[in-house]
């Protein structure tokens, strides 16, 4: 069985990993680097299955349930915001000290490795410096914030944002209405995970409505409307911010070209026409950049309402 | 599948293996016992989780129809255990996928897993057998396994080392770096080359459960990753611990300054009393201090919180240097004394200075050595 079949749009990574198995040139540690929701975990699982299956003919019995005696997946505990040092020193280390049970390798996948703090990173370093021969450690990281000493001991494998058609196809493949799929794919900025979240939550139309209201309110409002806007965003801050971003972009584009067919979201036309007299493209472009930086904070340990307030304020200022 | 067996025989088989089945429900089939019957090999029961695997078999069954079923380990064991002692008949009904159990004029049934796939125990390519009497293996593990660390950043210390020399010497060693238990045995056969492997503590405890005092031979086979302990009708497979075990011989002192002989029971009682003293804040463990002076031995346990115990040991025989004070972890000391209590009236304690490792031994048996590292205390 080819476990890599399900992976879309990451041909480079997949080829590299498949070749390393074929040429028996598997590294003891990898870092899968790339935005969230583009297939890092799926690829890591596929790679692990392919590696373990080489020596364990009956590996499929275990994989059916997503586990294997020689596969360990480390994830951030549900009620925590980081990967804990104990998960490395008391979870992974003793596990790796036991020799393989059925396969020739033992694979550890550390999901969201970017959530490791320095202590956990240093604990991991101890193993990375002297891994057992049979160990394969795969770190999945959404951000490039791993310790330099960790990076230098791992083979990097890059993952890229998916193209919109690929995301659309994957969404429709899961039975999502083509119309919603198109919109979700546009808003997700290359992340299938986000696209799926947007599309299956059924929130897109509602969120779109809110985003439009927020923009209009900010454009015509006093500074106090910033707080109103931020509170409205609480429904789904990331999705609404994504929508606000496309709206700003469309505003800039329409201002320059005046063409309705170059809009990211065709639905934006009415809004764009309503606002275009009062926008300054230079200001908007600056706001867009700030927005992009601010929205990343939703994934960190920052109060979402504070980020939303900042975003609203940036928008308000840009629209004056 | 259809076979008959005595209830007590089946219950003792399931009692051996059911614990090897997984109690986490991650993979449903691993919570099961695989029962297979066949007129030639009789009944075989297999259980495995993610760590160890066990297989037991019995010939004293009447097989009417061969076959195999997978049943939930815990329920099956509890059910069989509770049946009256009599010959019982087990029949698999293909249509309902139930295993009917007929005992006397009563019947019960157990649901089975349909169309299951059960993983084999990965025990092919095993070689390098060594054979030792069951009683010796039992003694070796019982006297050493407890000394291994429960957790240690050097994982080899959580296991028990089997160090097999080509001339037939077998050494079984466990240590948590504060103490070391060492058992040696001369095997009757030589092996092709020196070999070492480290088994996890859980494996040692599981084997201890099945061993008895007989001289029946027990065999050990291993490959790169796994080890198998087996005898007629029983097999236990376990993973090995990776890593280089430190050179333990260096830890065993060769010369001593003071030799103390005490009655094992006397020392045991004193240590039990000393154990009632809680550890204090500076040293978070319970400890005793031994004072050797004027051909007398005093044992002192002090707790700021609780009080103090000061014992003069009667019937003690001291040779060598006097005027020594040395402190030990009470529980670690007691562990050794408990081992000795089963075999010797006297216990020998050899000291090599206040901070040098001490050796505890049965004076009549040099096969077993317990090394205890003293504590550094302020007084």
């Amino acid at each position: 069985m080819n476990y890599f079949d399900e992976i879309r749009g990451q041909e480079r990574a997949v080829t590299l990993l498949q070749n390393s198995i074929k040429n028996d040139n598997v590294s003891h540690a990898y870092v899968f680097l790339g935005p969230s929701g583009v297939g890092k975990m799926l690829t890591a699982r596929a790679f692990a299955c392919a590696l373990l299956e080489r020596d364990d003919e009956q590996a499929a019995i275990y994989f059916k349930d997503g586990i294997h005696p020689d596969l360990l997946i480390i994830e951030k505990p549900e009620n925590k915001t980081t990967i804990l040092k104990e998960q490395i020193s008391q979870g992974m280390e003793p596990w790796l000290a036991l020799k393989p049970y059925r396969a020739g390798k033992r694979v550890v996948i550390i999901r969201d490795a970017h959530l490791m703090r320095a202590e956990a990173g240093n604990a991991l370093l101890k193993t990375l410096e002297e891994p057992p021969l049979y160990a394969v450690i795969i770190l999945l990281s959404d951000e490039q914030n791993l310790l330099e000493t960790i990076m230098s001991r791992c083979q990097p494998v890059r993952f890229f944002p998916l193209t919109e058609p690929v995301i659309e196809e994957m969404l429709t493949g899961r039975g999502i209405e083509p119309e919603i799929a198109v919109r979700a794919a546009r808003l997700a900025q290359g992340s299938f995970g986000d696209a799926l979240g947007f599309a299956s939550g059924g929130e897109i139309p509602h969120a779109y409505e809110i985003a439009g209201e927020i923009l209009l309110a900010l454009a015509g409002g006093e500074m106090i409307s910033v707080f109103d806007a931020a509170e409205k965003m609480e429904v789904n801050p990331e999705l609404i911010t994504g929508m606000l971003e496309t709206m700003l972009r469309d505003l800039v584009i329409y201002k320059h070209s005046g063409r309705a067919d170059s809009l990211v979201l065709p639905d934006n036309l009415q809004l764009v026409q309503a606002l275009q007299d009062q926008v300054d493209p230079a200001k908007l472009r600056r706001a867009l950049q700030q927005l992009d930086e601010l929205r990343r904070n939703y994934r960190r340990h920052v109060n979402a309402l504070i980020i939303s307030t900042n975003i609203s304020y940036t928008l308000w200022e840009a629209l004056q | 599948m259809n076979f008959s067996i005595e209830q007590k025989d089946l219950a003792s088989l399931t009692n051996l293996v059911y614990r090897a089945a997984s109690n986490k429900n991650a993979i449903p089939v691993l919570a099961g016992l695989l029962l297979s019957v066949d007129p030639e090999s009789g009944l075989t029961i297999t259980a495995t989780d993610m760590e160890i695997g066990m297989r037991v078999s019995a010939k004293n069954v009447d097989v009417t129809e061969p076959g195999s079923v997978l049943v939930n380990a815990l329920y099956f064991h509890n059910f069989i255990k509770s049946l009256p002692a009599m010959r019982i008949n087990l029949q698999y009904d293909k249509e309902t996928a139930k295993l009917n159990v007929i005992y006397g004029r009563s019947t019960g049934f157990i649901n089975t897993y349909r169309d299951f796939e059960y993983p084999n125990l990965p025990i092919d390519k095993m070689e390098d057998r060594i054979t030792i009497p069951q009683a010796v293996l039992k003694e070796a593990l019982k006297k050493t396994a407890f000394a291994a660390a429960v957790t240690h950043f050097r994982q080899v210390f959580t296991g028990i080392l089997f160090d097999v020399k080509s001339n037939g010497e077998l050494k079984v060693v466990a240590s948590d770096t504060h103490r070391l238990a060492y058992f040696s045995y001369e095997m009757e056969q030589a092996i092709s080359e020196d070999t070492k492997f480290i088994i996890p503590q859980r494996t040692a405890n599981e084997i201890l459960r099945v061993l008895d005092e007989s001289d029946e031979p027990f065999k050990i086979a291993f490959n790169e990753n796994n080890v198998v302990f087996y005898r007629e009708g029983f097999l236990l497979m376990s993973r090995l611990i990776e890593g280089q075990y430190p050179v333990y011989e260096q830890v065993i002192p060769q010369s001593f300054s003071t030799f103390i002989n005490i009655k094992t029971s006397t020392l045991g009682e004193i240590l039990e009393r000393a154990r009632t003293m809680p550890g204090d804040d500076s040293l978070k463990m319970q400890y005793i201090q031994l004072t050797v002076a004027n051909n007398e031995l005093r044992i002192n346990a002090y707790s700021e919180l609780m009080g103090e115990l000061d014992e003069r040991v009667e019937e003690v025989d001291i040779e060598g240097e006097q005027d020594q004070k040395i402190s030990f972890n009470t529980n670690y000391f007691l562990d050794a004394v408990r081992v000795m209590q089963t075999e010797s009236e006297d216990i020998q304690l050899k000291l090599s200075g206040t901070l040098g490792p001490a050796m505890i031994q049965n004076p009549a048996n040099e096969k077993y050595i317990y090394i205890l590292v003293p504590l550094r205390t302020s007084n």
Side-chain angles (χ1 to χ4, degrees), chain A residues 25-234:
Chain A
N25 184 21
V26 176
S27 166
H28 68 83
Y30 293 89
V31 180
F32 288 8
L33 262 177
S36 74
V38 298
K40 295 195 297 295
M41 188 63 191
L42 194 65
T43 310
R45 272 188 179 279
F47 186 52
C49 289
L51 271 176
L52 297 175
E53 199 187 41
R54 285 197 304 182
D55 299 288
D56 179 11
E57 292 159 9
Q58 292 180 309
I61 300 177
Y62 293 90
F63 294 154
K64 243 188 346 210
D65 294 289
I67 53 177
H68 187 276
D70 294 315
L71 171 66
L72 175 70
I73 297 175
I74 294 179
E75 292 176 295
K76 153 184 103 62
E78 233 166 73
N79 51 353
K80 293 276 162 34
T81 51
T82 57
I83 289 180
L84 309 175
K85 178 181 164 230
E86 289 71 33
Q87 292 180 278
I88 306 291
S89 60
Q90 285 162 34
M92 185 189 81
E93 272 179 40
W95 188 85
L96 262 185
L98 288 175
K99 297 192 181 194
Y101 182 63
R102 311 181 59 90
K105 298 274 185 196
R106 304 204 87 194
V107 184
V108 182
I109 299 176
I110 303 181
R111 202 173 185 171
D112 295 326
H114 56 277
L115 297 179
M116 280 191 304
R117 294 239 189 95
E119 310 89 74
N122 284 323
L124 175 66
L125 204 54
K126 226 181 88 205
T127 306
L128 283 180
E129 279 164 354
E130 256 185 304
L133 282 177
Y134 46 78
V136 179
I137 300 169
I138 307 172
L139 308 176
L140 311 186
S141 182
D142 295 355
E143 288 172 45
Q144 208 146 6
N145 68 344
L146 295 175
L147 296 175
E148 192 50 41
T149 38
I150 289 183
M151 288 301 294
S152 67
R153 286 178 172 84
C154 300
Q155 181 177 348
V157 181
R158 291 196 183 278
F159 284 72
F160 299 97
L162 301 170
T163 59
E164 280 176 29
V166 168
I167 296 180
E168 258 178 68
E169 184 203 317
M170 288 168 83
L171 288 175
T172 45
R174 296 220 181 179
I176 284 161
E177 306 262 327
E179 214 173 293
I180 303 224
V182 174
R183 285 220 220 159
R186 293 234 163 134
L187 289 168
Q189 304 195 337
S191 162
F192 173 69
D194 288 356
L196 189 64
F198 295 159
S200 53
E203 287 172 2
I204 288 186
H206 181 52
Y208 181 77
E209 217 170 282
I210 297 177
E213 280 169 24
I214 288 174
L215 208 62
L216 285 171
L218 286 174
E222 298 290 313
M223 210 214 281
I224 194 78
S225 59
V226 164
F227 298 104
D228 245 6
E231 254 163 53
K232 279 189 183 165
M233 287 171 72
E234 284 291 88

Side-chain angles (χ1 to χ4, degrees), chain B residues 122-141:
Chain B
I123 52 174
D124 17 326
K125 298 185 215 145
M126 289 282 184
E127 47 190 327
D128 279 318
R129 299 155 181 222
I130 53 181
T131 309
I132 52 176
Q134 204 173 149
V136 174
L137 182 60
K138 181 168 184 176
E139 187 185 352
L141 291 175

Side-chain angles (χ1 to χ4, degrees), chain B residues 224-294:
Chain B
E224 180 66 26
N225 298 326
N226 294 317
V227 62
V228 169
F229 291 81
Y230 64 109
R231 66 159 189 235
E232 179 72 36
F234 172 85
L235 177 150
L236 181 142
M237 193 211 73
S238 153
R239 307 198 222 227
L240 296 174
I241 295 179
E242 155 74 20
Q244 193 69 38
Y245 207 88
V247 189
Y248 58 87
E249 286 95 342
Q250 284 177 0
V251 182
I252 304 175
Q254 297 305 316
S255 62
F256 301 92
S257 54
T258 311
F259 300 79
I260 303 170
N261 273 303
I262 325 175
K263 289 250 163 298
T264 317
S265 54
T266 312
L267 185 56
E269 284 161 19
I270 294 174
L271 291 173
E272 292 282 5
R273 276 196 290 278
R275 227 159 61 94
T276 56
M277 292 288 155
D280 57 27
D281 285 344
S282 60
L283 207 64
K284 296 240 183 279
M285 62 179 73
Q286 293 160 289
Y287 69 95
I288 48 157
Q289 188 173 56
L290 274 62
T291 311
V292 186
N294 307 325

